[in-house]
Amino acid sequence: MSLSRLRRVRTAAMMATPLALAAALSATPVAASVAASIPRADPVRPAASGPSGAKMYGYKTFTGLSVEIPANGSAWASVYCPQGTRPSGGGGNSDAYTSGDNVYLVTSLPSMDQGSWHVQFANTSPTTGSYGWAEARCTNAESYAHEARFQLVGGGQEKQMTSWCAPGERLSGVGFRSYDPFLRIADAYPQDGVTVGVRSVNSTDALTRMSAVAVCGRDNYTVRSGFTTLQPHEANQAGANCPSGWPPTGGGVVAGGSSTHLQSSEPTAYGWQVSAKNTSSSEATLGAYVICAVPS
């Protein structure tokens, strides 16, 4: 195991809660049960409850334990926010390079009841396994998840859908759900201050489903972006940073084409970073979006 890999595993182990440890240890053999345990967003939205919790707690990143992603298979990873806090956004990353950049992020969404963030990875390498982990931005500011009703995606089809915040709320994070681990995510990004857009590509012959998740709060948020060019058959990263003193709360990605598929989406110290693989023979544009909390 490399020094950087050991450092990440050790750091994740120190930061994870006992619940995260249990989820990580059981994620690979019981992926179906983990997926079933993630509830749809609660349709009941509590009323505003006074001053923003961001003034008391802020927004901090927490990382769950690594899970093994088997060759030609999939795995779930989870991270749990400290008691009394909820995710404002989240995502995940993997050691995709160990399997030849063949690992894709296909689901990334919160469970507000559990105060947690869950991700699913798909590994298309026929022989080489990898490792993945979930990350969340946690806050005790108000935070709600709104998951739009699923949309059917036929074999070989490309579909788009949206989800949005309730009145009085603004977008703080981006989520999405693939009901098949080989439904590729091309875009999952903030369309505006209240709407999430998700675009997926079904790489199988079977009918499956997708959904979009808007994570929302009542702080004042703004969006920043950054772009890079992906060469044919290249995997690369793009990042976007918040202005100094404006904490990132969540983020998203625009992969720039149906042949460019999401591999990671995660917070950094000052913003958001994404990676994707261009599987086509033409150039593609990869864009990262970060949502920032504006200090009051």
Side-chain angles (χ1 to χ4, degrees):
M1 180 180 291
S2 68
L3 179 61
S4 62
R5 178 81 194 117
L6 180 61
R7 186 180 297 117
R8 182 178 289 277
V9 172
R10 183 176 297 147
T11 301
M14 290 189 295
M15 298 173 69
T17 66
L19 285 174
L21 176 61
L25 290 175
S26 63
T28 300
V30 290
S33 63
V34 174
S37 71
I38 302 175
R40 288 183 58 85
D42 186 346
V44 178
R45 328 290 191 223
S49 57
S52 165
K55 297 177 181 177
M56 298 178 285
Y57 183 88
Y59 294 86
K60 298 180 181 178
T61 298
F62 292 85
T63 304
L65 289 179
S66 297
V67 299
E68 184 178 0
I69 312 168
N72 200 30
S74 66
W76 286 87
S78 302
V79 60
Y80 290 79
C81 290
Q83 186 174 2
T85 70
R86 286 180 164 189
S88 64
N93 201 348
S94 69
D95 287 336
Y97 64 86
T98 63
S99 56
D101 289 317
N102 289 316
V103 176
Y104 300 97
L105 181 63
V106 296
T107 292
S108 177
L109 78 168
S111 171
M112 291 304 184
D113 291 345
Q114 301 175 12
S116 54
W117 197 274
H118 306 268
V119 297
Q120 185 185 26
F121 300 95
N123 184 359
T124 62
S125 170
T127 58
T128 307
S130 187
Y131 292 88
W133 54 90
E135 297 178 77
R137 291 288 284 176
C138 301
T139 182
N140 64 355
E142 293 180 82
S143 188
Y144 316 99
H146 306 291
E147 182 173 3
R149 178 175 173 80
F150 67 82
Q151 181 167 321
L152 295 174
V153 187
Q157 286 189 338
E158 176 181 329
K159 287 290 184 73
Q160 300 184 52
M161 67 178 304
T162 58
S163 185
W164 50 89
C165 298
E169 300 170 1
R170 292 189 61 80
L171 192 66
S172 68
V174 173
F176 50 89
R177 185 199 297 258
S178 296
Y179 287 78
D180 185 297
F182 294 96
L183 180 70
R184 301 281 174 261
I185 299 299
D187 301 332
Y189 66 104
Q191 288 187 336
D192 51 40
V194 296
T195 309
V196 164
V198 175
R199 182 166 60 95
S200 68
V201 180
N202 188 352
S203 61
T204 74
D205 295 328
L207 180 69
T208 186
R209 299 176 291 170
M210 62 173 285
S211 62
V213 182
V215 187
C216 310
R218 296 182 187 270
D219 276 348
N220 184 17
Y221 304 107
T222 189
V223 177
R224 296 288 187 270
S225 60
F227 295 85
T228 191
T229 299
L230 293 179
Q231 297 301 319
H233 306 291
E234 178 188 38
N236 209 341
Q237 299 176 332
N241 290 328
C242 294
S244 178
W246 297 23
T249 66
V253 60
V254 169
S258 59
S259 297
T260 304
H261 304 146
L262 180 63
Q263 293 188 301
S264 70
S265 179
E266 62 178 340
T268 64
Y270 305 105
W272 205 262
Q273 181 174 280
V274 301
S275 63
K277 183 176 181 178
N278 180 6
T279 64
S280 75
S281 56
S282 303
E283 285 188 352
T285 300
L286 175 64
Y289 288 80
V290 61
I291 304 170
C292 312
V294 181
S296 44

